Amino acid sequence: MRSIGAGVREIRVRDESGAFRVIYLATIREAIYVLHAFQKKTQHTARSDIALAPSRFRQVNRSTDE
């Protein structure tokens, strides 16, 4: 998911209860950072869901640079 940041990946799961997404980063200091996890209620992804992951990605990068 280059639109969010380098090394960011997405897991998509679909079952009878709906579609679920997990956006994560696993390339910094042997840790896995879950940037956002949510259930999709429609085909469209909400802007708030799209905006949250890059914001958290920036926070992770700032905290690991210190």
Side-chain angles (χ1 to χ4, degrees), residues 36-50:
H36 190 36
F38 59 99
Q39 180 179 11
K40 289 187 70 169
K41 304 280 185 180
T42 66
Q43 291 286 1
H44 178 75
T45 303
R47 286 184 186 204
S48 59
D49 289 320
I50 294 169

Side-chain angles (χ1 to χ4, degrees), residues 44-61:
H44 178 75
T45 303
R47 286 184 186 204
S48 59
D49 289 320
I50 294 169
L52 190 55
S55 171
R56 290 181 175 166
F57 177 77
R58 288 188 297 274
Q59 288 176 331
V60 168
N61 278 332

Side-chain angles (χ1 to χ4, degrees), residues 1-12 22-24 53:
M1 299 198 72
R2 292 181 185 165
S3 62
I4 295 174
V8 175
R9 303 283 187 251
E10 177 183 36
I11 297 173
R12 298 176 182 195
V22 177
I23 301 170
Y24 68 97

